[in-house]
Amino acid sequence: MHTNQKITKSIVEDTQLWTDLKAGDEKAFSMLFERHYEQLVRYGNSFSNDSDKIQDCVQDVFADIWLYKNNLGETTNVKAYLLSSVRKRISRLQERDRIFNKITSTDVVNFLFDFSIEHQLINDEVTADKVYQLNKLINLLPSRQKEALYLRYNQGLSVEQIAELMDVNYQSANNLLHRAVLNLRKDWNVSLALLLALSPAIL
């Protein structure tokens, strides 16, 4: 891909691609697929260790989007829409194939995603050690608190979008995030300012 094409791809907003996709633009569809596929698979893998099933699930979501493009509505956040679609697809897959140990709801499926440290963002050894300890504590949080943190800081979703995606009300989503931060502060004696400063490097 030429440099100019890379630049064009980087500046095209998801919302514009969504609009073009709805109008039947195959290139827009392909760009959305390439932009979001890996992170959607990664999110799906947080609910199952059957990677092949999850990849099929994500591909089915995109296939349905293209198939029913004429019936798609407007969306203010394409990423949130895709994450929600994958989560719902997993739930249906779970009910059909019983691949999640016969659990009947994704609400009680463990969120398995491991937050990891991006070492290139951390130059100071002391800070790196603090981030490493914080990272360990995040991965010990209850699965729904960890998922809420992942959606908020890794995927950049709003509390409203998290609530819709996790099928809870706004207050419940806010409570999940609040309890997660309280648990981290309780187990890791650090100021909230430092916690929030370090979060982008982890999340």
Side-chain angles (χ1 to χ4, degrees):
M1 182 181 290
H2 296 298
T3 301
N4 289 340
Q5 290 176 307
K6 290 182 179 180
I7 294 174
T8 300
K9 179 177 179 179
S10 68
I11 63 176
V12 174
E13 297 291 339
D14 279 353
T15 49
Q16 183 59 54
L17 292 176
W18 187 258
T19 299
D20 295 343
L21 157 65
K22 288 171 56 182
D25 188 332
E26 292 186 24
K27 183 178 179 181
F29 172 77
S30 296
M31 290 178 69
L32 278 175
F33 181 90
E34 293 172 5
R35 180 176 294 183
H36 294 287
Y37 177 77
E38 289 187 6
Q39 64 180 347
L40 291 173
V41 170
R42 194 178 186 193
Y43 177 60
N45 283 338
S46 302
F47 298 103
S48 170
N49 58 8
D50 192 334
S51 183
D52 289 340
K53 290 271 190 183
I54 295 303
Q55 289 182 58
D56 289 344
C57 176
V58 173
Q59 289 168 12
D60 286 345
V61 165
F62 278 103
D64 281 352
I65 286 174
W66 181 254
L67 183 63
Y68 300 109
K69 58 184 177 296
N70 294 330
N71 298 322
L72 292 174
E74 298 297 333
T75 179
T76 57
N77 191 307
V78 175
K79 181 190 290 186
Y81 177 91
L82 293 173
L83 288 166
S84 180
S85 297
V86 168
R87 200 177 198 273
K88 290 174 182 176
R89 176 77 62 166
I90 289 172
S91 181
R92 291 197 295 271
L93 188 65
Q94 166 197 16
E95 294 171 0
R96 185 179 71 235
D97 296 339
R98 299 290 188 246
I99 65 170
F100 295 105
N101 299 320
K102 297 185 178 180
I103 298 173
T104 59
S105 171
T106 51
D107 288 344
V108 290
V109 174
N110 286 331
F111 185 75
L112 306 174
F113 180 82
D114 285 327
F115 291 96
S116 60
I117 304 168
E118 297 185 18
H119 295 282
Q120 66 272 21
L121 299 179
I122 305 168
N123 298 317
D124 179 76
E125 185 174 345
V126 175
T127 302
D129 182 66
K130 289 181 181 295
V131 171
Y132 176 75
Q133 295 302 321
L134 177 57
N135 178 68
K136 289 177 61 177
L137 290 174
I138 289 174
N139 283 304
L140 293 174
L141 289 172
S143 61
R144 286 176 66 77
Q145 291 181 22
K146 187 163 67 168
E147 183 180 4
L149 281 180
Y150 171 82
L151 294 171
R152 182 71 182 93
Y153 294 103
N154 189 286
Q155 297 299 334
L157 302 191
S158 67
V159 178
E160 291 89 346
Q161 291 163 343
I162 293 171
E164 182 178 356
L165 192 152
M166 298 184 72
D167 196 25
V168 297
N169 60 38
Y170 176 91
Q171 189 58 52
S172 295
N174 199 49
N175 287 344
L176 284 171
L177 290 165
H178 182 64
R179 285 197 296 269
V181 172
L182 286 181
N183 284 335
L184 292 175
R185 292 189 66 189
K186 177 187 68 176
D187 295 328
W188 194 51
N189 187 21
V190 67
S191 70
L192 180 58
L194 181 55
L195 173 62
L196 294 176
L198 292 179
S199 293
I202 308 167
L203 308 175

